[in-house]
Every structure is written in C-alpha cells, then in structure tokens.
Short mmCIF file of all heavy atoms in Angstrom, two decimals:
data_model
loop_
_atom_site.label_atom_id
_atom_site.label_comp_id
_atom_site.label_asym_id
_atom_site.label_seq_id
_atom_site.Cartn_x
_atom_site.Cartn_y
_atom_site.Cartn_z
N MET Q 1 2.30 -8.20 -14.74
CA MET Q 1 1.81 -6.83 -14.59
C MET Q 1 2.66 -5.90 -15.46
O MET Q 1 3.87 -5.92 -15.42
CB MET Q 1 1.92 -6.41 -13.12
CG MET Q 1 0.94 -5.36 -12.73
SD MET Q 1 -0.76 -5.96 -12.75
CE MET Q 1 -1.36 -5.14 -11.27
N ILE Q 2 1.96 -5.11 -16.24
CA ILE Q 2 2.69 -4.17 -17.10
C ILE Q 2 1.92 -2.86 -17.15
O ILE Q 2 0.69 -2.85 -17.09
CB ILE Q 2 2.88 -4.76 -18.51
CG1 ILE Q 2 3.71 -3.83 -19.37
CG2 ILE Q 2 1.54 -5.05 -19.18
CD1 ILE Q 2 4.14 -4.46 -20.67
N SER Q 3 2.64 -1.78 -17.22
CA SER Q 3 2.02 -0.46 -17.25
C SER Q 3 2.05 0.09 -18.67
O SER Q 3 3.10 0.11 -19.31
CB SER Q 3 2.78 0.49 -16.32
OG SER Q 3 2.23 1.78 -16.39
N TYR Q 4 0.89 0.49 -19.16
CA TYR Q 4 0.81 1.11 -20.46
C TYR Q 4 0.33 2.54 -20.31
O TYR Q 4 -0.48 2.85 -19.43
CB TYR Q 4 -0.17 0.37 -21.37
CG TYR Q 4 0.36 -0.92 -21.94
CD1 TYR Q 4 -0.31 -2.11 -21.73
CD2 TYR Q 4 1.52 -0.93 -22.71
CE1 TYR Q 4 0.17 -3.30 -22.26
CE2 TYR Q 4 2.00 -2.11 -23.24
CZ TYR Q 4 1.33 -3.29 -23.03
OH TYR Q 4 1.79 -4.46 -23.54
N THR Q 5 0.83 3.39 -21.18
CA THR Q 5 0.32 4.75 -21.24
C THR Q 5 -0.89 4.79 -22.15
O THR Q 5 -0.84 4.29 -23.26
CB THR Q 5 1.40 5.71 -21.78
OG1 THR Q 5 2.51 5.72 -20.89
CG2 THR Q 5 0.84 7.12 -21.91
N LEU Q 6 -1.99 5.33 -21.63
CA LEU Q 6 -3.20 5.46 -22.43
C LEU Q 6 -3.47 6.93 -22.71
O LEU Q 6 -3.15 7.79 -21.89
CB LEU Q 6 -4.39 4.84 -21.69
CG LEU Q 6 -4.22 3.38 -21.29
CD1 LEU Q 6 -5.46 2.88 -20.56
CD2 LEU Q 6 -3.92 2.50 -22.48
N ILE Q 7 -4.06 7.20 -23.85
CA ILE Q 7 -4.36 8.58 -24.24
C ILE Q 7 -5.82 8.65 -24.66
O ILE Q 7 -6.29 7.84 -25.47
CB ILE Q 7 -3.47 9.03 -25.42
CG1 ILE Q 7 -1.99 8.82 -25.07
CG2 ILE Q 7 -3.73 10.50 -25.75
CD1 ILE Q 7 -1.05 9.07 -26.24
N CYS Q 8 -6.56 9.60 -24.09
CA CYS Q 8 -7.96 9.73 -24.44
C CYS Q 8 -8.12 10.68 -25.63
O CYS Q 8 -7.15 11.24 -26.13
CB CYS Q 8 -8.77 10.23 -23.24
SG CYS Q 8 -8.71 12.02 -23.00
N ASP Q 9 -9.35 10.84 -26.07
CA ASP Q 9 -9.58 11.68 -27.25
C ASP Q 9 -9.39 13.17 -26.96
O ASP Q 9 -9.47 13.99 -27.86
CB ASP Q 9 -10.96 11.40 -27.83
CG ASP Q 9 -12.08 11.71 -26.84
OD1 ASP Q 9 -11.78 11.81 -25.63
OD2 ASP Q 9 -13.23 11.84 -27.27
N LYS Q 10 -9.16 13.51 -25.68
CA LYS Q 10 -8.84 14.90 -25.33
C LYS Q 10 -7.34 15.07 -25.08
O LYS Q 10 -6.89 16.05 -24.52
CB LYS Q 10 -9.61 15.31 -24.07
CG LYS Q 10 -11.11 15.23 -24.18
CD LYS Q 10 -11.68 16.26 -25.15
CE LYS Q 10 -13.18 16.39 -24.97
NZ LYS Q 10 -13.89 15.12 -25.20
N ASP Q 11 -6.57 14.04 -25.46
CA ASP Q 11 -5.11 14.07 -25.33
C ASP Q 11 -4.63 14.05 -23.88
O ASP Q 11 -3.57 14.57 -23.56
CB ASP Q 11 -4.50 15.27 -26.05
CG ASP Q 11 -4.54 15.10 -27.57
OD1 ASP Q 11 -4.61 13.95 -28.02
OD2 ASP Q 11 -4.51 16.12 -28.27
N HIS Q 12 -5.43 13.50 -23.00
CA HIS Q 12 -4.97 13.29 -21.63
C HIS Q 12 -4.22 11.96 -21.57
O HIS Q 12 -4.75 10.94 -22.02
CB HIS Q 12 -6.15 13.26 -20.65
CG HIS Q 12 -6.97 14.52 -20.66
ND1 HIS Q 12 -8.35 14.52 -20.63
CD2 HIS Q 12 -6.59 15.82 -20.70
CE1 HIS Q 12 -8.79 15.78 -20.65
NE2 HIS Q 12 -7.74 16.58 -20.69
N GLU Q 13 -3.03 12.00 -21.02
CA GLU Q 13 -2.26 10.77 -20.89
C GLU Q 13 -2.29 10.29 -19.46
O GLU Q 13 -2.21 11.07 -18.52
CB GLU Q 13 -0.80 11.01 -21.31
CG GLU Q 13 -0.65 11.29 -22.78
CD GLU Q 13 0.82 11.31 -23.19
OE1 GLU Q 13 1.65 10.70 -22.47
OE2 GLU Q 13 1.14 11.95 -24.20
N PHE Q 14 -2.43 8.99 -19.29
CA PHE Q 14 -2.34 8.40 -17.95
C PHE Q 14 -1.87 6.96 -18.08
O PHE Q 14 -1.98 6.35 -19.14
CB PHE Q 14 -3.69 8.49 -17.22
CG PHE Q 14 -4.81 7.72 -17.90
CD1 PHE Q 14 -5.17 6.46 -17.44
CD2 PHE Q 14 -5.49 8.27 -18.96
CE1 PHE Q 14 -6.20 5.75 -18.05
CE2 PHE Q 14 -6.52 7.56 -19.58
CZ PHE Q 14 -6.88 6.31 -19.13
N ALA Q 15 -1.33 6.48 -16.99
CA ALA Q 15 -0.81 5.11 -17.01
C ALA Q 15 -1.80 4.18 -16.32
O ALA Q 15 -2.49 4.57 -15.38
CB ALA Q 15 0.53 5.05 -16.30
N HIS Q 16 -1.88 2.97 -16.83
CA HIS Q 16 -2.75 1.97 -16.22
C HIS Q 16 -2.04 0.62 -16.27
O HIS Q 16 -1.34 0.33 -17.23
CB HIS Q 16 -4.09 1.91 -16.95
CG HIS Q 16 -5.11 1.09 -16.23
ND1 HIS Q 16 -5.87 1.59 -15.20
CD2 HIS Q 16 -5.49 -0.21 -16.38
CE1 HIS Q 16 -6.68 0.64 -14.76
NE2 HIS Q 16 -6.47 -0.47 -15.44
N HIS Q 17 -2.24 -0.16 -15.24
CA HIS Q 17 -1.59 -1.46 -15.18
C HIS Q 17 -2.49 -2.56 -15.75
O HIS Q 17 -3.68 -2.59 -15.48
CB HIS Q 17 -1.21 -1.81 -13.74
CG HIS Q 17 -0.07 -0.99 -13.23
ND1 HIS Q 17 -0.23 0.24 -12.62
CD2 HIS Q 17 1.27 -1.20 -13.27
CE1 HIS Q 17 0.95 0.72 -12.30
NE2 HIS Q 17 1.89 -0.12 -12.68
N PHE Q 18 -1.88 -3.41 -16.53
CA PHE Q 18 -2.59 -4.54 -17.13
C PHE Q 18 -1.82 -5.82 -16.85
O PHE Q 18 -0.64 -5.79 -16.55
CB PHE Q 18 -2.73 -4.34 -18.64
CG PHE Q 18 -3.49 -3.10 -19.03
CD1 PHE Q 18 -2.81 -1.92 -19.30
CD2 PHE Q 18 -4.87 -3.12 -19.13
CE1 PHE Q 18 -3.51 -0.77 -19.66
CE2 PHE Q 18 -5.57 -1.98 -19.48
CZ PHE Q 18 -4.88 -0.81 -19.75
N ASP Q 19 -2.54 -6.93 -17.03
CA ASP Q 19 -1.87 -8.22 -16.89
C ASP Q 19 -0.89 -8.45 -18.05
O ASP Q 19 0.09 -9.15 -17.93
CB ASP Q 19 -2.89 -9.36 -16.86
CG ASP Q 19 -3.71 -9.33 -15.57
OD1 ASP Q 19 -3.24 -8.75 -14.59
OD2 ASP Q 19 -4.82 -9.89 -15.57
N GLY Q 20 -1.20 -7.83 -19.17
CA GLY Q 20 -0.34 -7.99 -20.34
C GLY Q 20 -0.96 -7.28 -21.53
O GLY Q 20 -1.99 -6.61 -21.41
N TYR Q 21 -0.33 -7.46 -22.67
CA TYR Q 21 -0.79 -6.77 -23.88
C TYR Q 21 -2.22 -7.16 -24.24
O TYR Q 21 -3.04 -6.32 -24.58
CB TYR Q 21 0.15 -7.11 -25.03
CG TYR Q 21 -0.24 -6.48 -26.34
CD1 TYR Q 21 0.08 -5.14 -26.60
CD2 TYR Q 21 -0.91 -7.20 -27.31
CE1 TYR Q 21 -0.27 -4.55 -27.80
CE2 TYR Q 21 -1.27 -6.61 -28.51
CZ TYR Q 21 -0.95 -5.30 -28.75
OH TYR Q 21 -1.30 -4.71 -29.94
N ASP Q 22 -2.50 -8.46 -24.15
CA ASP Q 22 -3.85 -8.93 -24.51
C ASP Q 22 -4.91 -8.33 -23.58
O ASP Q 22 -6.00 -7.98 -24.01
CB ASP Q 22 -3.91 -10.45 -24.46
CG ASP Q 22 -3.12 -11.09 -25.59
OD1 ASP Q 22 -2.81 -10.38 -26.57
OD2 ASP Q 22 -2.82 -12.29 -25.48
N ASP Q 23 -4.56 -8.24 -22.30
CA ASP Q 23 -5.50 -7.66 -21.33
C ASP Q 23 -5.75 -6.20 -21.66
O ASP Q 23 -6.87 -5.70 -21.59
CB ASP Q 23 -4.91 -7.80 -19.92
CG ASP Q 23 -5.85 -7.26 -18.85
OD1 ASP Q 23 -7.06 -7.53 -18.95
OD2 ASP Q 23 -5.37 -6.59 -17.93
N CYS Q 24 -4.69 -5.50 -22.04
CA CYS Q 24 -4.81 -4.10 -22.42
C CYS Q 24 -5.75 -3.94 -23.60
O CYS Q 24 -6.68 -3.13 -23.58
CB CYS Q 24 -3.43 -3.54 -22.76
SG CYS Q 24 -3.45 -1.84 -23.38
N GLN Q 25 -5.51 -4.74 -24.64
CA GLN Q 25 -6.34 -4.66 -25.84
C GLN Q 25 -7.80 -4.99 -25.52
O GLN Q 25 -8.72 -4.34 -26.00
CB GLN Q 25 -5.80 -5.63 -26.90
CG GLN Q 25 -4.44 -5.23 -27.45
CD GLN Q 25 -4.48 -3.90 -28.19
OE1 GLN Q 25 -5.35 -3.67 -29.03
NE2 GLN Q 25 -3.57 -3.00 -27.88
N ALA Q 26 -8.00 -6.01 -24.69
CA ALA Q 26 -9.35 -6.44 -24.36
C ALA Q 26 -10.10 -5.34 -23.61
O ALA Q 26 -11.27 -5.06 -23.89
CB ALA Q 26 -9.30 -7.71 -23.52
N GLN Q 27 -9.40 -4.70 -22.67
CA GLN Q 27 -10.08 -3.67 -21.87
C GLN Q 27 -10.35 -2.42 -22.71
O GLN Q 27 -11.37 -1.74 -22.53
CB GLN Q 27 -9.23 -3.32 -20.65
CG GLN Q 27 -9.16 -4.47 -19.65
CD GLN Q 27 -8.86 -3.98 -18.25
OE1 GLN Q 27 -9.46 -3.02 -17.79
NE2 GLN Q 27 -7.94 -4.65 -17.57
N LEU Q 28 -9.44 -2.12 -23.64
CA LEU Q 28 -9.68 -0.98 -24.52
C LEU Q 28 -10.89 -1.24 -25.42
O LEU Q 28 -11.73 -0.37 -25.62
CB LEU Q 28 -8.44 -0.69 -25.36
CG LEU Q 28 -7.25 -0.08 -24.62
CD1 LEU Q 28 -6.07 0.12 -25.57
CD2 LEU Q 28 -7.62 1.24 -23.98
N GLN Q 29 -10.96 -2.45 -25.94
CA GLN Q 29 -12.07 -2.77 -26.84
C GLN Q 29 -13.39 -2.82 -26.09
O GLN Q 29 -14.43 -2.44 -26.61
CB GLN Q 29 -11.80 -4.11 -27.53
CG GLN Q 29 -10.69 -4.02 -28.56
CD GLN Q 29 -10.47 -5.33 -29.31
OE1 GLN Q 29 -11.30 -6.23 -29.24
NE2 GLN Q 29 -9.37 -5.43 -30.03
N ALA Q 30 -13.35 -3.28 -24.84
CA ALA Q 30 -14.57 -3.39 -24.04
C ALA Q 30 -14.94 -2.05 -23.42
O ALA Q 30 -16.00 -1.91 -22.82
CB ALA Q 30 -14.37 -4.44 -22.96
N LYS Q 31 -14.02 -1.07 -23.52
CA LYS Q 31 -14.23 0.26 -22.95
C LYS Q 31 -14.57 0.19 -21.46
O LYS Q 31 -15.48 0.84 -20.97
CB LYS Q 31 -15.34 1.02 -23.71
CG LYS Q 31 -14.96 1.29 -25.16
CD LYS Q 31 -15.99 2.21 -25.81
CE LYS Q 31 -15.66 2.47 -27.29
NZ LYS Q 31 -14.34 3.10 -27.48
N THR Q 32 -13.82 -0.64 -20.76
CA THR Q 32 -14.02 -0.74 -19.31
C THR Q 32 -13.24 0.34 -18.57
O THR Q 32 -13.42 0.53 -17.38
CB THR Q 32 -13.56 -2.11 -18.80
OG1 THR Q 32 -12.19 -2.30 -19.13
CG2 THR Q 32 -14.38 -3.24 -19.43
N LEU Q 33 -12.39 1.05 -19.31
CA LEU Q 33 -11.57 2.08 -18.68
C LEU Q 33 -12.05 3.46 -19.10
O LEU Q 33 -12.61 3.63 -20.17
CB LEU Q 33 -10.10 1.92 -19.10
CG LEU Q 33 -9.47 0.56 -18.76
CD1 LEU Q 33 -8.10 0.45 -19.40
CD2 LEU Q 33 -9.38 0.38 -17.27
N ALA Q 34 -11.80 4.44 -18.22
CA ALA Q 34 -12.16 5.81 -18.54
C ALA Q 34 -11.02 6.74 -18.14
O ALA Q 34 -10.30 6.47 -17.17
CB ALA Q 34 -13.44 6.21 -17.80
N CYS Q 35 -10.88 7.81 -18.88
CA CYS Q 35 -9.86 8.80 -18.56
C CYS Q 35 -10.14 9.39 -17.18
O CYS Q 35 -11.25 9.83 -16.90
CB CYS Q 35 -9.88 9.91 -19.61
SG CYS Q 35 -8.82 11.32 -19.18
N PRO Q 36 -9.14 9.40 -16.28
CA PRO Q 36 -9.35 9.94 -14.94
C PRO Q 36 -9.55 11.46 -14.93
O PRO Q 36 -10.03 12.02 -13.94
CB PRO Q 36 -8.07 9.54 -14.18
CG PRO Q 36 -7.03 9.40 -15.25
CD PRO Q 36 -7.77 8.90 -16.47
N THR Q 37 -9.20 12.10 -16.02
CA THR Q 37 -9.32 13.56 -16.08
C THR Q 37 -10.68 14.00 -16.59
O THR Q 37 -11.33 14.87 -16.01
CB THR Q 37 -8.21 14.14 -16.98
OG1 THR Q 37 -6.94 13.74 -16.47
CG2 THR Q 37 -8.29 15.66 -17.02
N CYS Q 38 -11.13 13.39 -17.69
CA CYS Q 38 -12.38 13.85 -18.29
C CYS Q 38 -13.44 12.75 -18.38
O CYS Q 38 -14.58 13.01 -18.73
CB CYS Q 38 -12.11 14.43 -19.68
SG CYS Q 38 -11.62 13.19 -20.89
N GLY Q 39 -13.06 11.51 -18.07
CA GLY Q 39 -14.03 10.44 -18.07
C GLY Q 39 -14.29 9.83 -19.43
O GLY Q 39 -15.13 8.95 -19.56
N SER Q 40 -13.56 10.27 -20.43
CA SER Q 40 -13.75 9.73 -21.76
C SER Q 40 -13.36 8.26 -21.82
O SER Q 40 -12.40 7.84 -21.18
CB SER Q 40 -12.91 10.52 -22.77
OG SER Q 40 -12.93 9.88 -24.03
N LYS Q 41 -14.09 7.49 -22.57
CA LYS Q 41 -13.76 6.08 -22.76
C LYS Q 41 -13.16 5.83 -24.14
O LYS Q 41 -12.93 4.69 -24.52
CB LYS Q 41 -15.00 5.21 -22.54
CG LYS Q 41 -15.45 5.24 -21.08
CD LYS Q 41 -16.56 4.23 -20.83
CE LYS Q 41 -16.93 4.22 -19.34
NZ LYS Q 41 -17.97 3.22 -19.04
N ASP Q 42 -12.93 6.91 -24.89
CA ASP Q 42 -12.26 6.77 -26.18
C ASP Q 42 -10.76 6.82 -25.95
O ASP Q 42 -10.13 7.87 -26.04
CB ASP Q 42 -12.70 7.88 -27.13
CG ASP Q 42 -14.14 7.71 -27.56
OD1 ASP Q 42 -14.56 6.55 -27.69
OD2 ASP Q 42 -14.82 8.73 -27.75
N LEU Q 43 -10.20 5.68 -25.65
CA LEU Q 43 -8.79 5.60 -25.28
C LEU Q 43 -8.00 4.82 -26.31
O LEU Q 43 -8.50 3.87 -26.91
CB LEU Q 43 -8.65 4.92 -23.91
CG LEU Q 43 -9.49 5.52 -22.78
CD1 LEU Q 43 -9.37 4.64 -21.53
CD2 LEU Q 43 -9.08 6.93 -22.46
N VAL Q 44 -6.76 5.24 -26.47
CA VAL Q 44 -5.84 4.47 -27.29
C VAL Q 44 -4.56 4.26 -26.48
O VAL Q 44 -4.23 5.04 -25.58
CB VAL Q 44 -5.49 5.19 -28.62
CG1 VAL Q 44 -6.74 5.32 -29.48
CG2 VAL Q 44 -4.87 6.54 -28.35
N LYS Q 45 -3.84 3.22 -26.82
CA LYS Q 45 -2.61 2.95 -26.14
C LYS Q 45 -1.52 3.87 -26.67
O LYS Q 45 -1.38 4.04 -27.87
CB LYS Q 45 -2.19 1.48 -26.33
CG LYS Q 45 -1.03 1.06 -25.44
CD LYS Q 45 -0.89 -0.46 -25.38
CE LYS Q 45 -0.39 -1.04 -26.68
NZ LYS Q 45 0.98 -0.57 -27.00
N GLY Q 46 -0.80 4.51 -25.77
CA GLY Q 46 0.25 5.42 -26.18
C GLY Q 46 1.44 4.69 -26.76
O GLY Q 46 1.57 3.48 -26.65
N LEU Q 47 2.31 5.49 -27.38
CA LEU Q 47 3.46 4.89 -28.04
C LEU Q 47 4.64 4.72 -27.09
O LEU Q 47 5.63 4.13 -27.44
CB LEU Q 47 3.90 5.78 -29.21
CG LEU Q 47 2.85 5.94 -30.31
CD1 LEU Q 47 3.37 6.91 -31.38
CD2 LEU Q 47 2.52 4.61 -30.94
N SER Q 48 4.51 5.28 -25.89
CA SER Q 48 5.64 5.30 -24.97
C SER Q 48 5.60 4.14 -23.99
O SER Q 48 6.15 4.22 -22.92
CB SER Q 48 5.67 6.62 -24.20
OG SER Q 48 4.45 6.80 -23.51
N ALA Q 49 4.94 3.06 -24.38
CA ALA Q 49 4.86 1.91 -23.50
C ALA Q 49 6.25 1.34 -23.27
O ALA Q 49 7.05 1.25 -24.19
CB ALA Q 49 3.96 0.84 -24.10
N PRO Q 50 6.53 0.97 -22.04
CA PRO Q 50 7.84 0.40 -21.74
C PRO Q 50 8.00 -0.96 -22.39
O PRO Q 50 7.03 -1.63 -22.72
CB PRO Q 50 7.86 0.29 -20.22
CG PRO Q 50 6.41 0.17 -19.85
CD PRO Q 50 5.67 1.01 -20.89
N ASN Q 51 9.24 -1.36 -22.57
CA ASN Q 51 9.52 -2.67 -23.14
C ASN Q 51 9.06 -3.77 -22.19
O ASN Q 51 9.26 -3.68 -20.99
CB ASN Q 51 11.01 -2.84 -23.40
CG ASN Q 51 11.51 -1.88 -24.46
OD1 ASN Q 51 10.77 -1.53 -25.37
ND2 ASN Q 51 12.74 -1.44 -24.33
N VAL Q 52 8.44 -4.78 -22.74
CA VAL Q 52 8.00 -5.90 -21.92
C VAL Q 52 9.23 -6.61 -21.35
O VAL Q 52 10.13 -6.99 -22.10
CB VAL Q 52 7.16 -6.87 -22.75
CG1 VAL Q 52 6.79 -8.10 -21.92
CG2 VAL Q 52 5.90 -6.19 -23.27
N GLY Q 53 9.25 -6.74 -20.05
CA GLY Q 53 10.35 -7.45 -19.41
C GLY Q 53 11.60 -6.61 -19.29
O GLY Q 53 12.61 -7.08 -18.78
N GLY Q 54 11.55 -5.38 -19.72
CA GLY Q 54 12.73 -4.53 -19.64
C GLY Q 54 12.54 -3.41 -18.64
O GLY Q 54 11.44 -3.13 -18.22
N GLN Q 55 13.63 -2.80 -18.25
CA GLN Q 55 13.55 -1.67 -17.33
C GLN Q 55 14.43 -0.55 -17.87
O GLN Q 55 15.18 0.08 -17.15
CB GLN Q 55 14.01 -2.09 -15.94
CG GLN Q 55 13.10 -3.14 -15.32
CD GLN Q 55 13.54 -3.49 -13.90
OE1 GLN Q 55 14.56 -3.03 -13.43
NE2 GLN Q 55 12.76 -4.31 -13.22
N SER Q 56 14.33 -0.31 -19.17
CA SER Q 56 15.27 0.60 -19.81
C SER Q 56 14.98 2.05 -19.49
O SER Q 56 15.90 2.84 -19.31
CB SER Q 56 15.23 0.38 -21.32
OG SER Q 56 13.91 0.58 -21.79
N ALA Q 57 13.70 2.41 -19.36
CA ALA Q 57 13.39 3.82 -19.20
C ALA Q 57 12.16 4.01 -18.30
O ALA Q 57 11.09 4.34 -18.78
CB ALA Q 57 13.15 4.46 -20.56
N PRO Q 58 12.32 3.78 -17.02
CA PRO Q 58 11.17 4.00 -16.12
C PRO Q 58 10.83 5.47 -16.03
O PRO Q 58 11.68 6.33 -16.21
CB PRO Q 58 11.67 3.47 -14.77
CG PRO Q 58 13.17 3.56 -14.86
CD PRO Q 58 13.51 3.33 -16.31
N ASP Q 59 9.56 5.76 -15.76
CA ASP Q 59 9.11 7.14 -15.68
C ASP Q 59 9.52 7.80 -14.38
O ASP Q 59 9.49 9.00 -14.24
CB ASP Q 59 7.59 7.20 -15.81
CG ASP Q 59 7.15 6.82 -17.21
OD1 ASP Q 59 7.89 7.09 -18.16
OD2 ASP Q 59 6.06 6.26 -17.34
N PHE Q 60 9.90 7.01 -13.40
CA PHE Q 60 10.31 7.55 -12.12
C PHE Q 60 11.48 6.73 -11.60
O PHE Q 60 11.63 5.56 -11.98
CB PHE Q 60 9.15 7.52 -11.12
CG PHE Q 60 8.47 6.18 -11.04
CD1 PHE Q 60 8.94 5.19 -10.17
CD2 PHE Q 60 7.37 5.90 -11.84
CE1 PHE Q 60 8.32 3.97 -10.12
CE2 PHE Q 60 6.75 4.67 -11.78
CZ PHE Q 60 7.23 3.70 -10.91
N PRO Q 61 12.33 7.31 -10.79
CA PRO Q 61 13.50 6.57 -10.32
C PRO Q 61 13.12 5.44 -9.39
O PRO Q 61 12.30 5.60 -8.49
CB PRO Q 61 14.31 7.64 -9.59
CG PRO Q 61 13.32 8.68 -9.21
CD PRO Q 61 12.27 8.67 -10.29
N THR Q 62 13.68 4.30 -9.63
CA THR Q 62 13.46 3.16 -8.75
C THR Q 62 14.79 2.50 -8.46
O THR Q 62 15.70 2.53 -9.28
CB THR Q 62 12.53 2.13 -9.40
OG1 THR Q 62 13.07 1.75 -10.66
CG2 THR Q 62 11.13 2.68 -9.61
N CYS Q 63 14.90 1.95 -7.28
CA CYS Q 63 16.12 1.25 -6.93
C CYS Q 63 16.28 0.04 -7.85
O CYS Q 63 15.33 -0.72 -8.04
CB CYS Q 63 16.04 0.79 -5.48
SG CYS Q 63 17.55 -0.03 -4.93
N PRO Q 64 17.45 -0.13 -8.44
CA PRO Q 64 17.65 -1.28 -9.34
C PRO Q 64 17.52 -2.62 -8.65
O PRO Q 64 17.27 -3.62 -9.30
CB PRO Q 64 19.07 -1.05 -9.89
CG PRO Q 64 19.69 -0.04 -9.02
CD PRO Q 64 18.60 0.75 -8.37
N ALA Q 65 17.67 -2.64 -7.34
CA ALA Q 65 17.46 -3.88 -6.62
C ALA Q 65 15.96 -4.06 -6.40
O ALA Q 65 15.31 -3.23 -5.77
CB ALA Q 65 18.18 -3.85 -5.28
N ALA Q 66 15.40 -5.11 -6.93
CA ALA Q 66 13.95 -5.26 -6.98
C ALA Q 66 13.31 -5.18 -5.60
O ALA Q 66 12.26 -4.56 -5.43
CB ALA Q 66 13.60 -6.58 -7.65
N SER Q 67 13.92 -5.77 -4.62
CA SER Q 67 13.31 -5.81 -3.29
C SER Q 67 14.03 -4.88 -2.32
O SER Q 67 13.97 -5.06 -1.12
CB SER Q 67 13.30 -7.24 -2.76
OG SER Q 67 14.62 -7.73 -2.69
N GLY Q 68 14.73 -3.88 -2.86
CA GLY Q 68 15.47 -2.97 -1.99
C GLY Q 68 16.90 -3.44 -1.86
O GLY Q 68 17.17 -4.62 -1.73
N CYS Q 69 17.81 -2.49 -1.92
CA CYS Q 69 19.23 -2.86 -1.95
C CYS Q 69 19.81 -2.99 -0.55
O CYS Q 69 20.93 -3.44 -0.37
CB CYS Q 69 20.02 -1.82 -2.75
SG CYS Q 69 19.82 -0.13 -2.17
N GLY Q 70 19.04 -2.61 0.47
CA GLY Q 70 19.55 -2.76 1.83
C GLY Q 70 20.49 -1.66 2.25
O GLY Q 70 20.97 -1.64 3.38
N ASN Q 71 20.74 -0.75 1.35
CA ASN Q 71 21.61 0.37 1.67
C ASN Q 71 20.80 1.49 2.32
O ASN Q 71 19.94 2.08 1.68
CB ASN Q 71 22.28 0.86 0.38
CG ASN Q 71 23.24 2.02 0.63
OD1 ASN Q 71 23.31 2.55 1.75
ND2 ASN Q 71 23.98 2.40 -0.38
N GLY Q 72 21.04 1.76 3.57
CA GLY Q 72 20.27 2.77 4.29
C GLY Q 72 20.40 4.14 3.70
O GLY Q 72 19.53 4.99 3.88
N ALA Q 73 21.47 4.38 2.96
CA ALA Q 73 21.69 5.69 2.37
C ALA Q 73 21.11 5.79 0.97
O ALA Q 73 21.19 6.83 0.35
CB ALA Q 73 23.18 6.00 2.33
N CYS Q 74 20.50 4.71 0.51
CA CYS Q 74 19.97 4.72 -0.86
C CYS Q 74 18.84 5.74 -0.97
O CYS Q 74 17.85 5.67 -0.25
CB CYS Q 74 19.46 3.32 -1.23
SG CYS Q 74 18.78 3.24 -2.91
N ALA Q 75 18.98 6.68 -1.88
CA ALA Q 75 17.98 7.74 -2.04
C ALA Q 75 16.67 7.20 -2.59
O ALA Q 75 15.65 7.84 -2.50
CB ALA Q 75 18.53 8.82 -2.96
N MET Q 76 16.74 6.02 -3.18
CA MET Q 76 15.55 5.46 -3.80
C MET Q 76 14.82 4.50 -2.87
O MET Q 76 13.86 3.86 -3.26
CB MET Q 76 15.93 4.73 -5.09
CG MET Q 76 16.52 5.68 -6.13
SD MET Q 76 17.07 4.77 -7.58
CE MET Q 76 17.71 6.14 -8.57
N LYS Q 77 15.30 4.41 -1.65
CA LYS Q 77 14.68 3.48 -0.73
C LYS Q 77 13.20 3.82 -0.54
O LYS Q 77 12.84 4.97 -0.38
CB LYS Q 77 15.39 3.52 0.63
CG LYS Q 77 14.85 2.52 1.63
CD LYS Q 77 15.63 2.65 2.94
CE LYS Q 77 15.11 1.65 3.97
NZ LYS Q 77 15.79 1.80 5.26
N GLY Q 78 12.38 2.80 -0.53
CA GLY Q 78 10.97 2.99 -0.32
C GLY Q 78 10.27 3.36 -1.58
O GLY Q 78 9.12 3.71 -1.57
ZN1 ZN A 101 -9.34 12.75 -20.91
#
C-alpha cells in the first residue's frame, strides 16, 4: 500500500492509496479515479509522492513505532 498525491486539471491535490506504482499508473490511464473536489478524471500523479518503503517525510505526525509504542503519554497515540 502506498499513498500518492494526485492533481486534477483544476489543480486540486488529494491523496489516494494504491497497491503500488503500477497500480497507480493503471488506474490513472483507465480513469477509474475522480477528483473528490470537482469530479474531474484528468488526473496526474503529483511530484510529492513519498519514497517507496521510506518514512522520511509523512504529511502528518505518526508514531515511529508501527504498532504503537506503548507509551501512554505518547502524543501520537492512536
Ligand atoms: Zn479537481
């Protein structure tokens, strides 16, 4: 599972989860996806896609422990 940023022809950006790069390309070519803001199906993959297999720059804070760190005081819990 990987999240890519998609941009429609009206410059609306949104994230969508794909099985991988090939799945992303296939769905873009098949136009199975639509912009949630305007419904456009003219989508391109954004340049801000995260690195595959990396966690260098998430868009939102997440606990570095994948299944929760067990620290009750962790602000990122949940
Ligand atoms: Zn749009």
Side-chain angles (χ1 to χ4, degrees):
M1 206 68 140
I2 184 170
S3 177
Y4 283 123
T5 297
L6 303 180
I7 306 173
C8 82
D9 61 342
K10 300 292 195 301
D11 287 337
H12 301 137
E13 292 189 23
F14 62 99
H16 190 83
H17 288 89
F18 299 94
D19 291 338
Y21 179 80
D22 289 343
D23 182 42
C24 175
Q25 292 296 313
Q27 292 204 45
L28 288 179
Q29 289 184 13
K31 296 188 182 300
T32 59
L33 302 172
C35 171
T37 302
C38 69
S40 171
K41 293 188 176 182
D42 290 327
L43 307 173
V44 296
K45 190 165 71 64
L47 298 176
S48 57
N51 294 329
V52 176
Q55 297 183 354
S56 58
D59 291 329
F60 50 87
T62 55
C63 182
S67 59
C69 55
N71 181 353
C74 180
M76 296 176 181
K77 183 180 180 183

